[in-house]
């Protein structure tokens, strides 16, 4: 057995897509499946496609290359703004990319012509979250320039919220995006096929039927892999939050005090730790450290246990409440998004797939 391991239940991923499609289909909103949290791993992407996802999206070209090989017929979207150094790979690997910069768009156009491709672009608009996006006042000028570029097709407008600034999607800010799109359509006599209304943070609005009607695409990662919306991290009814389970082994289990003995200086990460005296507890040392997963990303499945802390290679857990656990016992964790990202990208965590 190879521990630590992350056990990935592919059936649960497919079922989560099913739940999402039931939410989105009545509003004619297409769910684009975002694969970045699991590095575009093809088995998991296949489970998404089995649930009816038609387009996959990732922030990294390396992951898109992997997906392109595994699913040559599935259209791919690049989520992170392409860099000037990445325009060739972008047009080769992705059918669509999200953009906000005129120099990059010009370079994408030239790359598209070089490779005899037509590349679709979604222009990202800044609606307050302060990550990517052009200010609404500058949009019309950028559109007029993009429409003159050969090799590119203006697919539509998009927004990203609740990422950097935590700005919540509302009927107002998404409505403003729709108004901008309709303004552009009128001004240039064109129609924009796609208005991309954000990520898993837009799901609770969609569930309550308050996403403006013309929004017809959401780019969903966490909603599929962890089965929740991401404004309040509420579970989506019928979806699984435990499609991924992390398992690791106990190396030592001794009764020890809760406060270290001796005078206290810096810990392994240069911080001065603080302790509350809870007397002696049975402390399980688990072979799982910050090189495997960030401690903040772990959720113990056994409610009798509690995390004391972690260093690079060890997690210390209060196992007093579970007397049956001893050296060699396996402890299981659910993961939040941060934990999932860490576990899926750490080379030390073995990946095991089940159905
Ligand atoms: C990561 C990402 C998403 C998906 O976010 P989730 O919260 O996982 O649904 C959507 N759009 C962009 C631009 C992203 O970078």
């Amino acid at each position: 057995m190879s521990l630590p391991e992350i056990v990935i239940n592919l059936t649960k991923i497919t079922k989560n897509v099913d739940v999402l499609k039931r939410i989105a289909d009545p509003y004619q909103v297409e769910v684009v499946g975002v694969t970045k949290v699991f590095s575009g791993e093809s088995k998991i992407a296949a489970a998404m496609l089995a649930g009816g996802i038609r387009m996959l999206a990732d922030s990294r070209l390396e992951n898109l290359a992997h997906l392109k090989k595994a699913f040559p017929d599935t259209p791919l979207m690049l989520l992170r703004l392409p860099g000037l150094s990445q325009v060739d790979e972008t047009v080769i690997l992705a059918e669509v990319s999200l953009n906000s910069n005129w120099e990059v768009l010009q370079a994408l156009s030239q790359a598209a012509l070089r490779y005899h491709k037509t590349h679709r672009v979604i222009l990202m608009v800044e609606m307050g979250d302060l990550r990517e996006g052009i200010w609404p006042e500058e949009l019309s000028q950028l559109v007029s320039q993009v429409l003159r570029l050969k090799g590119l097709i203006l697919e539509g407008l998009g927004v990203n919220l609740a990422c950097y600034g935590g700005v919540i999607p509302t009927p107002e800010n998404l409505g403003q995006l729709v108004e901008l799109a309709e303004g552009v359509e009128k001004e240039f006599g064109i129609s924009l096929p796609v208005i991309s209304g954000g990520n898993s943070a837009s799901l609770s609005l969609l569930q309550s039927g308050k996403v403006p009607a013309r929004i017809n695409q959401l780019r969903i990662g966490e909603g599929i892999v962890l089965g929740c919306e991401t404004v309040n991290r509420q579970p989506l009814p019928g979806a699984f939050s435990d499609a991924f389970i992390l398992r690791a082994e106990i190396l030592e289990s001794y009764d020890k005090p809760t406060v270290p003995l001796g005078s206290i200086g810096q810990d392994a990460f240069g911080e001065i730790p603080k302790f509350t005296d809870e007397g002696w507890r049975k402390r399980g040392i688990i072979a799982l450290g910050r090189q495997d997963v960030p401690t903040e990303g772990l959720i113990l499945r056994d409610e009798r246990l509690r995390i004391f802390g972690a260093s690079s290679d060890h997690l210390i857990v209060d196992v007093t409440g579970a007397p049956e656990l001893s050296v060699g016992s396996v402890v299981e964790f659910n993961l939040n998004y941060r934990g999932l990202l860490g576990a899926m990208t750490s080379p030390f965590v073995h990946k095991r797939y089940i159905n």
Side-chain angles (χ1 to χ4, degrees):
M1 190 161 44
S2 299
L3 294 170
E5 66 172 3
I6 184 163
V7 182
I8 302 147
N9 187 317
L10 298 170
T11 308
K12 288 185 177 177
I13 302 282
T14 302
K15 292 215 166 119
N16 283 359
V17 171
D18 206 54
V19 168
L20 274 160
K21 284 188 59 79
R22 267 170 224 251
I23 296 170
D25 284 354
Y27 302 105
Q28 280 93 48
V29 168
E30 177 176 9
V31 177
V32 173
V34 174
T35 62
K36 67 189 184 200
V37 75
F38 53 84
S39 306
E41 175 50 56
S42 56
K43 290 194 187 74
I44 308 174
M48 283 185 171
L49 295 172
I53 293 287
R54 290 192 315 238
M55 179 184 271
L56 297 170
D58 205 291
S59 49
R60 309 272 170 162
L61 289 164
E62 292 86 345
N63 296 345
L64 289 183
H66 187 69
L67 290 167
K68 185 98 190 160
K69 222 178 198 171
F71 312 104
D73 300 327
T74 301
L76 302 178
M77 174 190 279
L78 178 63
L79 289 172
R80 188 165 69 180
L81 307 176
L84 266 182
S85 69
Q86 299 178 313
V87 292
D88 288 48
E89 283 159 292
T90 300
V91 301
I92 291 168
L93 295 170
E95 274 67 29
V96 190
S97 62
L98 309 182
N99 287 276
S100 68
N101 180 274
W102 169 235
E103 279 76 34
V104 174
L105 284 157
Q106 279 175 295
L108 274 176
S109 154
Q110 283 155 17
L113 293 176
R114 268 199 300 281
Y115 293 98
H116 309 288
K117 301 232 178 213
T118 35
H119 183 74
R120 283 137 59 195
V121 294
I122 292 180
L123 299 183
M124 297 301 279
V125 185
E126 175 60 68
M127 306 294 310
D129 201 54
L130 304 186
R131 208 178 71 180
E132 70 272 49
I134 186 167
W135 286 108
E137 299 74 43
E138 321 276 331
L139 180 65
S140 159
Q141 158 107 37
L142 186 64
V143 168
S144 76
Q145 291 171 307
V146 169
L147 289 174
R148 286 199 290 269
L149 291 176
K150 296 204 171 65
L152 297 190
I153 292 177
L154 179 59
E155 170 117 310
L157 302 186
V159 68
N160 200 60
L161 294 165
C163 262
Y164 170 75
V167 170
I168 297 172
T170 59
E172 288 73 35
N173 53 28
L174 292 184
Q176 225 179 318
L177 181 70
V178 170
E179 270 177 39
L180 281 167
E182 290 176 343
V184 161
E185 288 178 324
K186 212 163 156 201
E187 182 178 349
F188 297 97
I190 56 173
S191 77
L192 297 173
V194 171
I195 306 184
S196 192
N199 51 41
S200 301
S202 298
L203 286 173
S204 46
L205 206 61
L206 186 63
Q207 282 173 293
S208 58
K210 291 192 191 134
V211 164
R214 272 216 56 193
I215 302 274
N216 60 358
Q217 179 189 84
L218 295 179
R219 310 172 307 267
I220 304 293
E222 185 164 349
I224 297 175
V225 290
L226 294 176
C228 63
E229 59 79 36
T230 58
V231 171
N232 299 304
R233 297 262 158 12
Q234 291 302 306
L236 302 170
F240 295 97
S241 60
D242 61 352
F244 298 80
I245 292 175
L246 188 63
R247 305 174 76 245
E249 176 180 23
I250 298 183
L251 305 174
E252 176 190 297
S253 172
Y254 285 139
D255 286 311
K256 294 186 184 180
T258 31
V259 177
L261 316 169
S263 51
I264 291 171
Q266 294 183 357
D267 68 10
F269 298 105
E271 276 156 39
I272 298 182
K274 290 204 174 63
F275 301 92
T276 336
D277 192 353
E278 299 173 57
W280 283 54
R281 309 288 295 175
K282 179 152 282 181
R283 298 162 70 91
I285 301 187
I286 297 178
L288 185 73
R290 292 183 188 271
Q291 286 198 71
D292 307 297
V293 64
T295 321
E296 307 72 35
L298 294 168
I299 304 151
L300 279 157
R301 280 169 70 82
D302 186 336
E303 285 177 2
R304 299 170 302 169
L305 312 183
R306 183 168 56 119
I307 293 173
F308 279 134
S311 55
S312 301
D313 303 298
H314 301 93
L315 181 76
I316 304 171
V317 171
D318 183 351
V319 296
T320 315
E324 79 281 11
L325 294 182
S326 58
V327 168
S329 300
V330 169
V331 175
E332 294 191 338
F333 303 86
N334 287 348
L335 298 163
N336 65 19
Y337 192 81
R338 219 192 299 190
L340 184 58
L341 182 67
M344 287 306 296
T345 47
S346 169
F348 301 106
V349 177
H350 301 267
K351 282 77 187 173
R352 179 154 68 89
Y353 297 91
I354 60 170
N355 280 303

